[in-house]
Amino acid sequence: MWTDDGFKDYELLDATSGERLERWGEAVLIRPDPQVIWHEPRRHKGWKTADAVYTRSSSGGGSWSANKLPASWTVSWRDLAFKVKPTGFKHTGLFPEQASNWSVLRGSGAGKVLNLFAYTGAATVVCAKAGAKVTHVDAAKGMVTWAKENCALNGVEARFIVDDCAAFVERELRRGNRYDGILMDPPSYGRGPNGQMWKLEDNLYGFVKKAAGLLSDDARFFFINAYTTGLAPSVLTILLETLIVPRLGGRAEADELGLRIGSTGLFLPCGATGRWQRDAAPIGGCGRGTKS
């Protein structure tokens, strides 16, 4: 499991009975998590004094209760700052388990980087801060606006595109554009601009194959994030080994991402990441995410 202990403004304080107790800067939140299937006593005092609790609705979605949070605030990871806020779909705009990937990206070198399904742009900020020219693509205009705010917080710039990622990749292939690094964080389920259904298990291989065609001859990395619980990390390794390594060499590796639970010292699984890098050295290690 890949983890990162450099995120001082985030802490997973406890986890039990389907919920996480988390500290985001000074704010303490309770949010649901389907991976937390165990039922241990809630000993941490934060369970009773949390600033906000997200509760799912039986009809879908959910809402925040006991909400004592500001409209938004910032948290820091190393020398970078990110805007977070409570959203109507339980998230805060940042996935702290991704810090393991950010640690790798900091040392991945400059060049042209394509960030697909780029959300609020944490990886965009990391890559831009490292000197890359980043193209940030997401179909949700609101998320792209949020990403622009994160870039402004850190004094970096990027090229922002509001578009369907599959359509954008197709156009870039026709244009002959190439990138030195590609990141993607595709959803488990979704619909394209013409109503076509996206399901990660069914569509990921074809999408990765097309996106890999955008890698330059000097490409440095290709990352895939997958939050679908039924998709094993080794599947991501196979995709990268078969679609990228034969052409560009390098090394492919995948593992779970995780967060340390403060109350127990155990690790909560938070999806998987597959990483291809031209550097053939093992991907885990000091300063580049750790394996636990």
Side-chain angles (χ1 to χ4, degrees), residues 9 223 252:
D9 266 0
F223 283 20

Side-chain angles (χ1 to χ4, degrees), residues 77-82 102 104-111 113 121-135 150-158 160 183 221:
W77 175 77
R78 301 193 183 185
D79 59 336
L80 303 178
F82 302 105
W102 304 337
V104 180
L105 292 169
R106 283 168 66 97
S108 62
V113 172
T124 294
V125 169
V126 172
C127 291
K129 198 72 172 182
K133 296 180 179 179
V134 185
T135 297
N150 278 329
C151 283
L153 276 174
N154 294 281
V156 298
E157 296 181 350
F160 294 99
L183 315 165
F221 64 86

Side-chain angles (χ1 to χ4, degrees), residues 114-166:
L114 176 60
N115 190 5
L116 298 167
F117 309 98
Y119 197 48
T120 60
T124 294
V125 169
V126 172
C127 291
K129 198 72 172 182
K133 296 180 179 179
V134 185
T135 297
H136 173 113
V137 186
D138 197 283
K141 184 177 180 180
M143 294 299 105
V144 173
T145 298
W146 195 336
K148 291 178 180 178
E149 294 171 343
N150 278 329
C151 283
L153 276 174
N154 294 281
V156 298
E157 296 181 350
R159 174 191 178 209
F160 294 99
I161 307 290
V162 179
D163 200 357
D164 174 75
C165 289

